[in-house]
Amino acid sequence: MMKKLALFLLPLLFSGYLSAQELNSEAKKVFIDNLLSKMTIQEKAGQLRLISVGGDLTLDKVLDNIEVGEVGGIFNTIVEPDLSQMQERALKSPNKIPLFFGFDVIHGHRTIFPINLGIASSWDRSVMAKVAEISAEEATADGLNITWAPMIDITRDPRWGRVSEGFGEDPYLTSEAGRIFVERMQKQSLADKKSLATAVKHFALYGAVEGGREYNSTDMSERKMFQEYLVPYKAAIDAGSRAVMVSLVSVNGIPATANHWLLTEVLRNQWHFDGVVVSDHGAIRELINHGVASDAKDAVRVAIKAGIDMSMNDEYFLQFLPELVKEGAITEDQLNQACRRVLELKYDMGLFSDPNRYLDPKLDIETMFSNNRLHREEARDVARRSIVLLKNENKILPLARNKKIAVIGPLANSKRDILGSWSGAGRTNLAVTPLEGIKNTVKNPKSVSYAFGANLSDDVNLYRFLNLYGENTKFDDRPADKIIAEAVNIAKKSDVVIAFVGEAEGMAHESSSRTDLSLQASQKRLLKALKETGKPLVIVLMNGRPLTLTEEYAQADAMLETWFLGTEGGNAIADVLFGQYNPSGKLPMSFPNNVGQIPVYYSHLNTGRPRGTENMGKYTTSYFDSPNEPLFPFGFGLSYTDFAMDFSLSSPEMDKEGEIVVTVNVENIGDKEGMQTVQLYLQDVTASVSRPVKELMGFENITLKPHEKGKVKFTIKYDMLKFWNDKMQYVAEPGKFNVFIGSDSTTQNKQTFTLLDK
Ligand code: NOJ
């Protein structure tokens, strides 16, 4: 069929009426019109159905459904022989429409990279690009066409377990990550042999759930949405993301899945998104619980009218769409529109010309999971760049490689935890634990002793929660005192103690909100006992969210945030502990002192009564029992060396057409080579609406040898000064702007310029 079409359209190209691109889009239109004209309503509804094997839907049932043309896409299968079989059956369906295959490729595929909060901690665009490219390469080699990623929800409430999947609290940093993931996964075009289509998620505001409680409602002014929370989605769509996954939560009273304003007025009409809108797992059914649909059929009507194209794991689209069309509750045009978008995506993926383009039936399971398919070197490099040094008293780190070392803690030798959540295609047996990494690095592995030290928690309910679907987190049922005594014993015989504490990976996942962000009591007891030995104590944190760590911060001689670092995590931690890599990570989320401060984020508005440094008394914006500031601010992270910075502006004023160049002089004033992330923040001092005290507007990395000097430049352009004004227009207003340069968001290193009224 494709060949015939080409013959028909080719003369138009040579006659000069159509460019090659137009020819392709014309050919696509003709092809899809033709296909749609042959499809029954049932088949059209089938194309909108995205299902996975599981529960009642056995592989055989799925294959039968595929063959009758009732499935558009499959997700969650990553075993090649099954994928090939499914595609073979799709090609026997009435109109031979190929399937696409999707999966959550969140932070790597076979090679697991750090969780996204870790990747964000690198503040390094090349790191993000590397992760996205390798992920796409590995996923497409496994037969996948699309991923439900990147997750670019702004997250300012660490009680929410899914902060681990995103890139933190800041619109600019998250937008950069989102843009890079989309560009590098999808490549220039989906015709590229290794391109993986992206479905950015979760549109919108999932990260703003009230109280950090999973699946809860969100309520936010339009100004805050457009100014902050919607910014990363817009950036990802501008970068060309071919799909969007819709959030499970309600946005200003209307569930996102039923929200016409969000899905049609904003996404389609204002942002001109013409890709596929996918509902999240079971979201159509959930509209009944949300109270905006009376039954399943009504839920389908509401969802499709709001702007959903494909339904994930819902039977209802297939069950009720044909009926709804027959009754006239939705028009066939509406159904065609959704179906067309799915077919267009498949067309652009090249599936109509080569349905097996990513499939390799020769790929057996053993090869699929083998070590030699991994990108270990890259994983190690990304992982060490994602580590954040939070404290280093008396420069206790880096450690000499000939010390006697006690490696202690429930996370020190856990292969499962270091991979983090959403690592479904990764294999725990291929992961390197911190204990292994340290033994690989020291002069004599016998100088390293290990003890479990404590269970992750004393709470049996937590274990039940973590092990609901199989034993993920091991519980040592010896008496707690005995486990600690063993650890203390080896600590006493060592020169330094390295304690690995934090969360099990399952505590920082979907459906894992918490109200208490401190370390579990069992781990606190362990740390206290280790501290009492008087040995230098290095606390290495493994966790998927900011925790409250005031006590541990006081106890530690040195402290590292390592998140869940992935396949090569253990080696990467050792690289930093022993100085093969000088830590350069910076926090992408503020760490609160206590849960009561939440939300705590750097880019807040000023109040009429800000708590100044001198005026700490009554009647200011403050708590009487806590500071306002977080324990660790956004952008914070130490190095084994020190840097000095000063900066100048190319001009004290600019107009609409102008720009200001910020030149930053950076000097490494320590004695080790290291990398600094220079951060640019702006503040619009006076405007028609209150503007944040600071907003990140740029960052650049510079690596300098001891005592070396270098320069970093930023260019401030008119567009960077725009915001949503009092009339909800996106404009820049003349007046004074503060420019801050520094190594974290608390910097007071400031200069001012004026935007002229011309
Ligand atoms: C539900 C999650 O919310 C979403 O992020 C994920 O992509 C789907 N499940 C599919 O696994």
Side-chain angles (χ1 to χ4, degrees):
M1 193 197 315
M2 295 286 278
K3 262 188 217 145
K4 261 195 235 156
L5 267 175
L7 286 178
F8 161 72
L9 291 163
L10 228 48
L12 292 174
L13 173 69
F14 293 122
S15 66
Y17 285 124
L18 292 174
S19 68
Q21 204 184 357
E22 283 163 341
L23 174 70
N24 185 37
S25 78
E26 198 45 43
K28 178 162 70 177
K29 187 173 176 310
V30 173
F31 177 80
I32 290 170
D33 284 347
N34 181 44
L35 196 52
L36 280 170
S37 71
K38 292 192 293 183
M39 290 168 76
T40 62
I41 290 187
Q42 188 80 4
E43 282 167 290
K44 289 176 190 170
Q47 281 306 304
L48 307 186
R49 190 162 167 241
L50 189 54
I51 57 171
S52 58
V53 177
D56 287 347
L57 274 177
T58 58
L59 178 60
D60 281 343
K61 267 198 196 155
V62 168
L63 290 171
D64 291 345
N65 277 213
I66 292 171
E67 192 165 333
V68 293
E70 290 183 347
V71 185
I74 294 287
F75 70 108
N76 277 356
T77 295
I78 42 162
V79 177
E80 168 59 45
D82 292 353
L83 294 176
S84 287
Q85 238 189 111
M86 290 178 184
Q87 199 63 301
E88 208 180 298
R89 297 287 282 271
L91 299 178
K92 291 187 181 149
S93 66
N95 283 297
K96 305 183 178 22
I97 302 174
L99 298 163
F100 65 59
F101 301 108
F103 194 66
D104 290 284
V105 183
I106 307 296
H107 51 108
H109 185 60
R110 296 292 175 195
T111 308
I112 302 301
F113 291 98
I115 57 166
N116 301 64
L117 210 48
I119 294 169
S121 304
S122 73
W123 288 57
D124 190 331
R125 296 174 182 90
S126 69
V127 161
M128 296 168 187
K130 197 185 289 179
V131 173
E133 272 170 13
I134 293 174
S135 302
E137 185 182 327
E138 292 185 355
T140 51
D142 269 4
L144 299 171
N145 309 96
I146 186 166
T147 178
W148 323 127
M151 186 195 106
I152 44 173
D153 299 318
I154 296 287
T155 58
R156 292 178 178 173
D157 191 332
R159 289 173 294 184
W160 190 49
R162 301 194 80 168
V163 307
S164 57
E165 287 172 56
F167 299 92
E169 73 182 48
D170 183 65
Y172 179 73
L173 183 58
T174 304
S175 297
E176 281 296 271
R179 174 183 67 75
I180 292 168
F181 266 72
V182 169
E183 286 172 358
R184 298 305 178 112
M185 283 182 148
Q186 294 194 152
K187 319 249 182 266
Q188 286 287 341
S189 119
L190 294 186
D192 190 298
K193 287 236 169 62
K194 286 179 182 163
S195 71
L196 185 67
T198 57
V200 292
K201 65 188 188 187
H202 304 82
F203 191 67
L205 311 194
Y206 194 3
V209 283
E210 276 178 9
R213 193 155 70 233
E214 187 61 297
Y215 313 125
N216 208 359
S217 315
T218 66
D219 210 304
M220 190 181 285
S221 71
E222 270 185 42
R223 172 165 296 106
K224 198 169 178 77
M225 279 195 217
F226 281 97
Q227 191 64 50
E228 300 171 39
Y229 279 72
L230 296 184
V231 171
Y233 308 115
K234 173 77 165 60
I237 283 153
D238 288 347
S241 183
R242 296 301 305 267
V244 167
M245 183 187 281
V246 176
S247 83
L248 291 165
V249 303
S250 73
V251 174
N252 290 0
I254 304 174
T257 311
N259 200 318
H260 187 268
W261 173 77
L262 192 66
L263 303 186
T264 300
E265 287 169 44
V266 175
L267 185 62
R268 298 271 183 218
N269 301 348
Q270 287 181 34
W271 294 0
H272 309 293
F273 175 68
D274 60 2
V276 175
V277 174
V278 185
S279 65
D280 199 351
H281 210 275
I284 312 287
R285 187 185 323 131
E286 291 172 19
L287 293 180
I288 305 170
N289 283 347
H290 276 289
V292 297
S294 52
D295 55 25
K297 186 167 152 187
D298 198 29
V300 173
R301 181 187 62 81
V302 169
I304 199 118
K305 287 203 146 189
I308 298 285
D309 296 318
M310 276 193 118
S311 79
M312 177 180 274
N313 193 44
D314 262 295
E315 291 311 297
Y316 299 144
F317 260 38
L318 183 66
Q319 213 173 324
F320 296 114
L321 274 174
E323 216 172 301
L324 286 163
V325 172
K326 214 183 286 163
E327 289 166 6
I330 65 161
T331 64
E332 189 163 354
D333 273 358
Q334 278 168 323
L335 178 64
N336 285 348
Q337 184 61 268
C339 189
R340 177 184 293 280
R341 290 191 189 115
V342 174
L343 296 174
E344 277 175 355
L345 181 58
K346 291 184 176 180
Y347 186 99
D348 292 343
M349 283 171 168
L351 288 168
F352 287 109
S353 19
D354 181 8
N356 296 317
R357 68 189 301 235
Y358 292 153
L359 299 174
D360 174 7
K362 291 190 296 296
L363 189 61
D364 59 60
I365 300 212
E366 202 181 317
T367 315
M368 196 175 286
F369 292 108
S370 66
N371 183 42
N372 60 19
R373 291 183 92 210
L374 301 185
H375 290 82
R376 283 198 180 272
E377 203 181 307
E378 293 87 344
R380 181 171 181 160
D381 190 47
V382 170
R384 56 195 203 169
R385 288 170 190 274
S386 303
I387 296 172
V388 187
L389 178 65
L390 299 174
K391 182 176 183 182
N392 194 17
E393 201 116 296
N394 303 323
K395 302 210 165 174
I396 164 182
L397 293 180
L399 299 171
R401 289 197 297 149
N402 57 2
K403 290 250 155 91
K404 276 166 80 185
I405 295 169
V407 174
I408 293 171
L411 294 161
N413 201 26
S414 164
K415 285 184 180 278
R416 175 65 199 100
D417 291 302
I418 200 142
L419 292 186
S421 64
W422 296 107
S423 48
R427 282 298 166 266
T428 48
N429 63 312
L430 299 176
V432 180
T433 68
L435 177 63
E436 290 167 341
I438 290 170
K439 283 192 173 168
N440 291 340
T441 306
V442 291
K443 284 231 160 79
N444 175 9
K446 289 207 180 99
S447 65
V448 178
S449 37
Y450 160 73
F452 185 62
N455 278 307
L456 256 156
S457 171
D458 302 321
D459 180 358
V460 285
N461 283 326
L462 178 59
Y463 276 85
R464 243 178 250 142
F465 169 81
L466 293 172
N467 295 331
L468 210 56
Y469 304 110
E471 210 202 31
N472 268 323
T473 311
K474 205 176 109 220
F475 186 80
D476 186 334
D477 48 19
R478 288 177 297 160
D481 288 355
K482 208 165 166 200
I483 311 178
I484 290 192
E486 183 184 77
V488 166
N489 193 25
I490 68 160
K492 281 184 178 156
K493 292 184 196 140
S494 305
D495 301 320
V496 59
V497 177
I498 312 179
F500 290 83
V501 290
E503 298 183 289
E505 60 83 28
M507 291 165 74
H509 188 37
E510 183 178 347
S511 185
S512 49
S513 297
R514 337 176 26 179
T515 58
D516 181 351
L517 296 176
S518 51
L519 286 185
Q520 301 283 311
S522 56
Q523 300 185 51
K524 279 188 176 283
R525 280 198 306 272
L526 171 67
L527 290 178
K528 185 164 175 284
L530 294 176
K531 180 75 189 166
E532 278 165 11
T533 64
K535 298 287 177 176
L537 178 61
V538 180
I539 296 184
V540 180
L541 297 158
M542 283 171 66
N543 47 291
R545 51 154 66 81
L547 297 172
T548 52
L549 296 161
T550 44
E551 202 181 337
E552 293 73 20
Y553 183 63
Q555 281 168 334
D557 293 288
M559 199 172 204
L560 289 174
E561 176 55 81
T562 70
W563 313 110
F564 298 115
L565 286 178
T567 310
E568 278 289 313
N571 284 330
I573 289 173
D575 284 344
V576 166
L577 285 171
F578 298 97
Q580 276 99 320
Y581 185 76
N582 184 353
S584 53
K586 305 276 185 186
L587 296 176
M589 255 183 109
S590 311
F591 275 47
N593 276 289
N594 52 63
V595 172
Q597 289 183 314
I598 296 171
V600 55
Y601 56 97
Y602 82 94
S603 59
H604 58 84
L605 302 185
N606 224 342
T607 70
R609 298 180 179 193
R611 174 171 168 167
T613 39
E614 280 139 43
N615 182 8
M616 306 275 254
K618 279 192 165 191
Y619 309 113
T620 63
T621 300
S622 55
Y623 303 100
F624 68 75
D625 62 351
S626 164
N628 288 349
E629 293 73 32
L631 176 63
F632 304 121
F634 174 80
F636 172 75
L638 302 169
S639 160
Y640 294 153
T641 189
D642 295 301
F643 297 93
M645 275 191 235
D646 61 61
F647 75 103
S648 59
L649 305 183
S650 58
S651 167
E653 52 187 39
M654 72 180 258
D655 60 23
K656 232 176 158 160
E657 264 75 54
E659 55 183 41
I660 288 182
V661 177
V662 183
T663 305
V664 187
N665 300 310
V666 191
E667 185 179 356
N668 182 343
I669 51 171
D671 56 8
K672 291 198 167 53
E673 179 172 318
M675 184 173 104
Q676 177 64 296
T677 303
V678 182
Q679 303 167 28
L680 165 77
Y681 296 88
L682 293 184
Q683 181 192 21
D684 189 344
V685 182
T686 313
S688 58
V689 298
S690 294
R691 304 282 295 119
V693 292
K694 253 178 215 156
E695 286 175 296
L696 183 71
M697 285 291 167
F699 60 89
E700 293 300 332
N701 295 322
I702 181 166
T703 300
L704 296 171
K705 295 202 165 60
H707 308 294
E708 195 187 356
K709 290 180 184 163
K711 277 190 202 314
V712 166
K713 284 185 195 272
F714 298 98
T715 305
I716 299 174
K717 296 196 168 133
Y718 183 71
D719 275 356
M720 290 163 68
L721 310 179
K722 288 185 174 167
F723 65 100
W724 295 90
N725 73 0
D726 54 341
K727 299 183 187 67
M728 278 305 281
Q729 298 152 329
Y730 192 59
V731 295
E733 290 177 358
K736 274 201 166 39
F737 287 81
N738 286 331
V739 181
F740 296 89
I741 288 288
S743 56
D744 68 53
S745 59
T746 62
T747 176
Q748 291 306 322
N749 203 357
K750 176 176 89 177
Q751 308 235 6
T752 300
F753 73 88
T754 305
L755 176 65
L756 302 172
D757 195 6
K758 56 177 185 162

